[in-house]
Amino acid sequence: MVVFVGVNELLSMVRARGPETFISGLVDYVEHDFRRWTAFDKTPRIASHSDIGVIELMPTSDGKLYGFKFVNGHPINPKTGRLTVTAFGALADVKTGYPMLISEMTLLTALRTAATSAMAARALARPDSRTMGLVGNGSQSEFQAHAFKALLGIDRIAIFDIDPAAMDKFEANMAGSGISIRRAKSAADAADGADIVTTVTADKTNATILRDGDVGPGTHLNAVGGDCPGKTELDAAILENASVFVEYTEQSRIEGEIQQMDKDFAVTELWKVLSGKAKGRTSRDEITVFDSVGFAIEDFSALRYLHDSLSGKRRTLDLIPDLDNPKNLFGLLSIEKATLVA
Ligand code: NAD
């Protein structure tokens, strides 16, 4: 039997710990796996594009466990009452090839994206950062806010979204969180004076959410929403004047903000900073950019975290046949027949 974690099971786990404790625990798993980066099979994710969205498969393995995620990105979906991003995934035992866990990953993706963003910011932002501009107040946004509070102590956030109802929702969800919120008039206004700026908008276009002049010296940019060919958020001039950090260069050159730059544009992979093999921020005035697209190892870490966190009664799925004689798969048909007759 394969363990199954559905939306309700994951919600119970996150509610029981609280989102910030859950995300902090997840950061430990993601960071642990980034520090052993070379142990993993890596490939850019396999994307199937349409005019309005993308469906992607994200596999990786460390030789002991194998994980994959199915994820979509359809910025138009909220117009018809659907989420922009949904996902599910699995973790399997490499020794036998048998799946161990199948999980919902829509919530888990929001949690792991926030965990990875905050992990990157902890390594790259100025250590005394306390304020954040948050542009794009959709599904991912509250998770980002909680992660930055938990890991960096962010306690003031200026929000902006082209949809005022999304800002209302963000404010309602964050009431009582200990974060003071200012409604900005524009993305530039949200970025004004912020130590960290997170862009997490959804639009299948080369948008310019922020221009070069909008970003002050020393800012750390957490650019989350540009994650597909033809879907970016930042003015290329920002990247030219910043130090840019990515997850997996090969995938980021296809999908990230750096798709706008020449193929030899210099970037640093985040795992190298986390494991002391490369420098992060080198001065207070430097602008750092985490050009996040989401990489398979983050989902692997999230599934591993989930698997290790399971306790009590687990729901299982009847997914793999359980046979006395593993060569007699056909024999199942007569067992079923016998059961039916009985
Ligand atoms: P969502 O549709 O729920 O929210 C996106 C918000 O962006 C909406 O409220 C929309 O009104 C707002 N928006 C669109 N254009 C804007 C603009 N020009 N200025 C200000 N706001 C604008 O989507 P979501 O699930 O929150 O995802 C947000 C983005 O993050 C998507 O692009 C998604 O693909 C991406 N994402 C990235 C990762 C990663 O690992 N990097 C993971 C998950 C999602």
Side-chain angles (χ1 to χ4, degrees), residues 37 42 155 161 172 185 245 251 266 273:
W37 190 261
K42 290 174 285 294
D155 57 12
D161 196 295
K185 293 183 180 59
F245 299 83
Q251 181 177 309
V273 178

Side-chain angles (χ1 to χ4, degrees), residues 13-317:
M13 289 169 75
V14 179
R15 281 192 195 121
R17 292 188 196 181
E20 292 179 17
T21 306
F22 190 92
I23 289 171
S24 299
L26 179 48
V27 168
D28 293 342
Y29 273 66
V30 178
E31 190 157 346
H32 174 82
D33 287 340
F34 269 54
R35 287 200 172 130
R36 60 188 188 105
W37 190 261
T38 53
F40 286 91
D41 280 347
K42 290 174 285 294
T43 175
R45 60 185 156 196
I46 300 139
S48 174
H49 297 280
S50 69
D51 291 344
I52 52 167
V54 65
I55 295 175
E56 296 163 325
L57 286 178
M58 303 172 68
T60 191
S61 170
D62 66 355
K64 291 200 173 96
L65 294 171
Y66 173 94
F68 81 85
K69 180 170 87 173
F70 164 109
V71 62
N72 78 296
H74 287 68
I76 205 165
N77 270 0
K79 287 202 166 74
T80 54
R82 295 177 175 85
L83 287 146
T84 295
V85 176
T86 69
F88 66 89
L91 198 63
D93 179 5
V94 168
K95 234 185 312 176
T96 60
Y98 270 40
M100 302 151 54
L101 168 71
I102 291 196
S103 178
E104 90 77 48
M105 290 192 78
T106 304
L107 272 164
L108 198 58
T109 292
L111 292 157
R112 76 80 155 124
T113 303
T116 307
S117 287
M119 176 187 77
R122 186 168 63 180
L124 299 172
R126 288 174 304 189
D128 54 356
S129 296
R130 294 293 175 269
T131 61
M132 180 157 88
L134 180 52
V135 185
N137 304 148
S139 290
Q140 311 297 319
S141 60
E142 294 90 349
F143 296 90
Q144 291 279 330
H146 277 294
F148 277 81
K149 174 168 173 272
L151 259 77
L152 288 99
I154 292 298
D155 57 12
R156 276 159 291 157
I157 298 187
I159 57 168
F160 178 71
D161 196 295
I162 48 172
D163 174 11
M167 296 169 79
D168 295 343
K169 174 226 54 166
F170 182 91
E171 283 189 295
N173 280 337
M174 296 305 292
S177 66
I179 299 176
S180 86
I181 295 161
R182 173 174 76 84
R183 282 175 85 111
K185 293 183 180 59
S186 63
D189 181 25
D192 190 18
D195 298 315
I196 295 171
V197 182
T198 291
T199 54
V200 62
T201 66
D203 198 359
K204 201 166 164 45
T205 186
N206 290 118
T208 308
I209 303 298
L210 292 173
R211 297 186 182 284
D212 192 25
D214 299 334
V215 181
T219 307
H220 172 70
L221 276 169
N222 170 42
V224 180
D227 59 358
C228 243
K231 180 167 173 276
T232 55
E233 294 180 306
L234 302 180
D235 182 353
I238 294 178
L239 305 173
E240 268 157 28
N241 297 324
S243 298
V244 179
F245 299 83
V246 299
E247 290 137 317
Y248 180 52
T249 310
E250 213 181 308
Q251 181 177 309
S252 301
R253 291 212 193 273
I254 301 168
E255 302 178 350
E257 296 300 325
I258 59 166
Q259 65 185 271
Q260 306 177 70
M261 314 306 279
D262 291 341
K263 290 285 167 237
D264 55 0
F265 178 74
V267 295
T268 305
E269 291 189 340
L270 183 60
W271 72 272
K272 290 189 177 160
V273 178
L274 297 172
S275 46
K277 292 182 177 7
K279 284 196 175 118
R281 167 176 296 275
T282 53
S283 75
R284 274 194 74 76
D285 283 351
E286 184 180 16
I287 293 170
T288 50
V289 176
F290 175 44
D291 180 6
S292 158
V293 292
F295 187 56
I297 293 175
E298 294 148 37
D299 299 305
F300 177 96
S301 312
L303 287 166
R304 210 167 58 73
Y305 178 55
L306 199 57
H307 191 258
D308 289 355
S309 304
L310 292 171
S311 62
K313 204 161 164 260
R314 300 161 183 197
R315 215 159 124 197
T316 54
L317 287 181

